[in-house]
Amino acid sequence: MNVHDILQNPDEHVRFAAYLDKLGHVADANEVDLVSRVLTDPDQTMAQSAVLRHLDRRAAGLYPGPAYEEWAQAMTQAAIDRPFLAQRLREWSLFRAITLKLPWQLEDLLASSNWLQLKTAAGTNTEAVEILAEAGRTKQIRNTARISLNHRSES
């Protein structure tokens, strides 16, 4: 089934599942084109949700390595008119910087979404976790960071 055939199905749940399947098996060389085509679906909420799930899956596998930078730039171009997707890609880049101990800005972490703060609070960068234990946006983020710090001190 190609993307054109998927678009013909009136059920957004079926299209969502089909998009996830296509995105999960796409060759690297065709990924930008497929993401762009999925984002042409008339149900933008569903399309962006499928692409978001794909971006999260791919970023989780790529962020530790050097291939991440080129991939993130390409995906940012594909999602340029989708602020939420572009924001998620920026946050994956910040997560990467924090996790790999590359340069990052405290203000960027504190201004980031609950998603990134929670992910970072459970992460390995002690400096970032300490910051979130004190100044995380929500009680859940602060508690997660404190628990993470306590587990380190017990190890």
Side-chain angles (χ1 to χ4, degrees):
M1 179 183 294
N2 66 37
V3 174
H4 179 73
D5 293 334
I6 294 170
L7 278 166
Q8 301 309 309
N9 192 312
D11 185 332
E12 70 274 7
H13 298 97
V14 171
R15 293 195 318 273
F16 181 80
Y19 287 146
L20 287 181
D21 182 60
K22 286 283 188 198
L23 289 163
H25 295 95
V26 67
D28 291 350
N30 300 326
E31 185 178 14
V32 171
D33 182 55
L34 181 56
V35 165
S36 297
R37 291 174 66 199
V38 169
L39 290 172
T40 66
D41 192 285
D43 185 337
Q44 278 297 288
T45 301
M46 180 275 301
Q48 289 186 60
S49 181
V51 170
L52 177 66
R53 192 172 298 182
H54 173 70
L55 294 179
D56 283 347
R57 184 186 57 78
R58 288 283 285 157
L62 288 172
Y63 84 85
Y68 174 83
E69 294 286 337
E70 185 177 334
W71 174 83
Q73 286 180 343
M75 290 299 106
T76 298
Q77 285 304 308
I80 196 98
D81 295 329
R82 306 313 191 291
F84 182 76
L85 297 176
Q87 175 68 24
R88 181 59 66 95
L89 287 163
R90 284 191 299 276
E91 288 192 346
W92 268 109
S93 294
L94 178 56
F95 179 76
R96 178 179 193 265
I98 291 168
T99 303
L100 299 180
K101 296 189 166 84
L102 302 171
W104 57 278
Q105 299 297 315
L106 168 71
E107 305 80 36
D108 293 339
L109 176 59
L110 293 177
S112 68
S113 70
N114 291 355
W115 172 84
L116 178 63
Q117 286 193 10
L118 194 56
K119 189 169 185 59
T120 303
T124 59
N125 184 313
T126 302
E127 177 188 3
V129 174
E130 287 173 347
I131 290 165
L132 292 173
E134 291 300 316
R137 177 178 293 117
T138 67
K139 186 175 181 178
Q140 181 186 18
I141 291 165
R142 294 187 300 273
N143 285 340
T144 299
R146 288 180 190 124
I147 290 167
S148 181
L149 290 171
N150 286 340
H151 284 232
R152 284 172 214 197
S153 66
E154 292 172 1
S155 298

